[in-house]
Amino acid sequence: MEKKNPWRFGPSRGELWFWLWISLGGFALMGVALALRGLPQGPAIAEVVGLATVVFGYLGGRSVKRLIRREHP
């Protein structure tokens, strides 16, 4: 029986690099927005900083982990 690649349906190496650059760009844009506009007050901080950090952090962290472990087709 052939041993199949367990990540054959996952994102390719190029796609992982793409998502890593998107997440770094998102963090950079968030930093620029915070530098120009200042830190938001009240519940807006959860949306501007919290959600952006969760989304871009997950995308970047997942991409780095999979690139290091070579978990791609």
Side-chain angles (χ1 to χ4, degrees):
M1 188 168 243
E2 291 183 35
K3 185 175 180 181
K4 294 183 179 180
N5 183 356
W7 300 287
R8 65 186 177 272
F9 298 118
S12 66
R13 181 176 172 82
E15 188 176 353
L16 291 172
W17 277 107
F18 173 76
W19 286 117
L20 178 60
W21 284 110
I22 291 293
S23 67
L24 292 175
F27 276 127
L29 287 175
M30 182 177 67
V32 168
L34 290 175
L36 294 177
R37 304 285 297 191
L39 200 60
Q41 299 295 321
I45 195 165
E47 182 178 350
V48 172
V49 178
L51 289 177
T53 300
V54 168
V55 170
F56 294 131
Y58 171 75
L59 287 174
R62 180 190 69 151
S63 297
V64 168
K65 180 190 82 122
R66 287 187 175 188
L67 286 168
I68 289 173
R69 294 183 180 181
R70 298 195 182 273
E71 295 178 352
H72 50 77

